[in-house]
Amino acid sequence: MFIQNSKPEWVFKASELNPFNTDYFVWVDFGLSHVIKNKDNFNILKTLKLSHDICLSAITDTIHPFLLDRICWRFAGGVFYVSKNGSKQFYETCKVVIERVIPRITWEVNVWALIEASKP
């Protein structure tokens, strides 16, 4: 779970380095092929509309009330994109939520749902 929760930090650091001088950064889990079994479904990654500062893929309409006890599949943690400008805000906001729940640790998608619940 420490690795899962490091994704926003790594994307923020990549946005600071920005070797290709791009405005958007996409996180794709190495293990995404274990979740998306049909390789044709990867084509959805080509259709991402890069027009917002942060895009998290909502896969359900509900936020589970027990966000620290079990996984909340509100978001797909394997893929997200963020603008260069939004990467710092996303990382800093995730960090605040994680620090608030310490010493507990939870899934990154739960952290994102907590952010959404407090800042819809």
Side-chain angles (χ1 to χ4, degrees):
M1 286 194 216
F2 288 110
I3 291 171
Q4 290 173 351
N5 281 291
S6 296
K7 296 173 190 181
E9 178 182 6
W10 293 335
V11 171
F12 168 62
K13 287 182 177 183
S15 77
E16 287 186 306
L17 295 173
N18 202 359
F20 301 105
N21 197 28
T22 185
D23 292 327
Y24 291 93
F25 296 83
V26 178
W27 175 272
V28 179
D29 278 357
F30 287 114
L32 194 60
S33 63
H34 293 289
V35 177
I36 301 176
K37 302 291 185 194
N38 182 341
K39 302 298 182 216
D40 293 334
N41 289 336
F42 276 96
N43 288 330
I44 196 166
L45 298 178
K46 296 177 185 176
T47 65
L48 288 174
K49 302 269 189 267
L50 303 178
S51 60
H52 302 292
D53 281 338
I54 301 169
C55 178
L56 304 172
S57 299
I59 57 176
T60 181
D61 291 332
T62 59
I63 298 174
H64 199 281
F66 305 104
L67 286 174
L68 297 177
D69 297 324
R70 51 191 133 169
I71 195 161
C72 173
W73 287 117
R74 170 77 175 114
F75 298 106
V79 178
F80 71 88
Y81 77 83
V82 63
S83 71
K84 179 178 178 173
N85 295 332
S87 65
K88 182 175 183 179
Q89 177 187 6
F90 184 49
Y91 164 57
E92 294 292 337
T93 305
C94 288
K95 196 164 65 168
V96 166
V97 171
I98 291 167
E99 289 171 354
R100 191 174 73 210
V101 300
I102 286 176
R104 298 194 59 187
I105 187 74
T106 191
W107 294 266
E108 83 279 25
V109 292
N110 291 23
V111 170
W112 302 349
L114 284 165
I115 292 168
E116 181 187 38
S118 64
K119 297 180 180 188

